[in-house]
Amino acid sequence: MSTVRTLRTDVIVVGAGIAGMSAALHASGRRVVMLTKAGVGAGGASPLAQGGVAVAMGPTDSPEAHAADTVAAGTGLCHDEVVRAVTNEGPARIAELVEWGALFDRRPDGALDLGREGAHSLDRVAHATGDATGVELVRTLASAIMRSSRVEIIEHHIVVDLLFERGRVVGVVAIGRDGRPLLVTAATVILATGGIGQIYSHTTNPVEATGDGLALAAGVGARSAELEFVQFHPTALDGPDRPMALLTEALRGEGAVLVDDRGERFMHMEHAMADLAPRDVVARAIAVRRRLGRRVFLDASGLGSLSRRFPTVVDLCARQGLDPSQDLLPVSPAAHYHMGGVVTDLEGRTSVPGLRACGETAFTGMHGANRLASNSLLEALVVGARCGEDLARMSLQIPVAVSEVQSHSDFPWADSPWLDDGGNQQAAYDLRVIMEAGAGVERTQGSLTIAHEQLAELRRVVAPQPGELAHMMRVAALILRAAEARTESRGAHFRADVPWSSPCWLQDLVFEGDRLIPPHVVQPAAAVG
Ligand code: SIN
């Protein structure tokens, strides 16, 4: 029998990406335990971010213009007040990162060298070391975290359950790579575990992106919304790498173009912004051609040498024997970002006391049906910081002692909670195939129904114990249910059987735990977490 280790702290942060680290750093005066499946500064989606941080800092830009582009891309579902707050606070968060030592790329006159990405009307994307922006931001935040005596980092642990007492989240149950359980109680738990991309066969998301935060929150009845909106990045490198290598949209911002296997450009036939159209439009244009048996390529050969501006892309291509300055790069859409998530306000409060969320795990209403490129790092920085600052300000409940908490978990479990360490790999593979076929770039009622049935059968046969596979299955079921319920097409949710948008669907689709609240009857819930 494994010994159960116990800890008590003020705040638990689950996840060590940009959102989680920002929250921890801004929770001044609070003792923080940060639990992460990988290591701090490694793993997760944040270090993989290439494009950068969208921020209105150009000479002719303004937060209003940035907000207008965000809302246009979001096709009717952005929450205006959230967009306004996040775009307004962007410049201050960049200034703070610079103060902490982040080295953004600059022009000879010292101004930020801002790049262009899809659906932005101006050059607005701050980047670092060309296309290694995520690495630089993670380096900056991780070194501040490691210097902080308030933050205890516990690496290589997965949270498999939330401790819930008298209607309040009071801590977490985690399992280490060595199989040992750890119980931590706290006044507040912040879920910042990133996205859900690992439920798809084609994804740019890292192996850690198994939807842990969303699944844990659903398990305690928290509200989540817009789960049907999964953003597929149009240009993942179509090769053997898993996760798939990202070919940043900034390449198209600098002039790279999409061509079909006859070498012909096609995006001008799809949208006025051609290759820089919103991401959902480009992903669909590519998916349709691939479905018809055509191949699609990114042609960056006109950009000259890419090694200074796009060193990550050059490196990722070289691993597959390609030179982007000469070769056409085969591309495929790949699950990249979940617009939906755990419903929160701008301070990360969820509908459940004691529980907060930020970053990709959360749904603030910033992104609507289609996230504008490079707005996610911005949202993670702004909401993460606001969440931490709020916790620093408010008086926190005294965390309960572990001995007072009823743990419903029996240790040790027969199966490992980690996907790469148990007998669950075949089931995970099957799940990904089901989701890719049933709820990919294009879905129909028929494809979703089949996926639902197949998933139910898989769950029945496998009955996974708490851990990554169970999280993936719960999240997949929620996404399928949401995609079935939204009987229209909007942004990243394209129903080939209902290819139009309907004004009566200008509303969020909300779950309470695993239960879909019938559309039109959703009452605003006070955010209490
Ligand atoms: C990219 O660099 O194309 C991705 C940026 C993002 O997802 O916002």
Side-chain angles (χ1 to χ4, degrees), residues 395-475:
S395 62
L396 295 186
Q397 292 234 338
I398 312 285
V400 294
V402 172
S403 55
E404 293 167 36
V405 178
Q406 276 237 313
S407 170
H408 304 288
S409 313
D410 257 346
F411 307 110
W413 290 313
D415 290 346
S416 164
W418 307 89
L419 261 191
D420 60 5
D421 184 28
N424 286 330
Q425 272 132 340
Q426 182 60 45
Y429 175 86
D430 293 345
L431 169 67
R432 293 179 182 125
V433 171
I434 292 169
M435 290 303 287
E436 191 79 33
V441 177
E442 298 182 302
R443 319 75 203 259
T444 62
Q445 180 59 56
S447 75
L448 292 162
T449 306
I450 293 171
H452 234 128
E453 286 166 6
Q454 291 173 332
L455 177 60
E457 177 61 9
L458 190 64
R459 282 173 112 173
R460 195 185 61 73
V461 172
V462 178
Q465 289 191 328
E468 289 180 318
L469 182 63
H471 294 163
M472 289 163 71
M473 287 188 166
R474 180 172 228 152
V475 162

Side-chain angles (χ1 to χ4, degrees), residues 49-52 117 231 233 235 246-250 252 279 336-337 371-377:
Q50 293 182 13
E117 291 183 24
Q231 184 170 70
H233 196 290
T235 57
L246 179 69
L247 301 177
T248 174
E249 206 160 280
R252 279 175 283 132
R279 213 167 256 189
H336 181 63
Y337 187 86
R371 177 181 62 97
L372 189 64
S374 289
N375 263 356
S376 44
L377 293 189

Side-chain angles (χ1 to χ4, degrees), residues 28 52 65 130 205 220 262 308 345 456 477 509 515:
S28 314
N205 285 188
V220 293
R262 290 176 296 217
R308 193 190 62 79
D345 65 7
L509 198 53
R515 187 180 66 87

Side-chain angles (χ1 to χ4, degrees), residues 228 445 448 479-488 493 495 505 509 511 516-517 519:
E228 63 277 31
Q445 180 59 56
L448 292 162
I479 290 174
L480 291 174
R481 181 80 193 87
E484 276 184 302
R486 184 176 284 277
T487 47
E488 66 153 3
H493 171 65
R495 287 273 304 252
W505 273 112
L509 198 53
F511 286 79
L516 178 65
I517 304 180

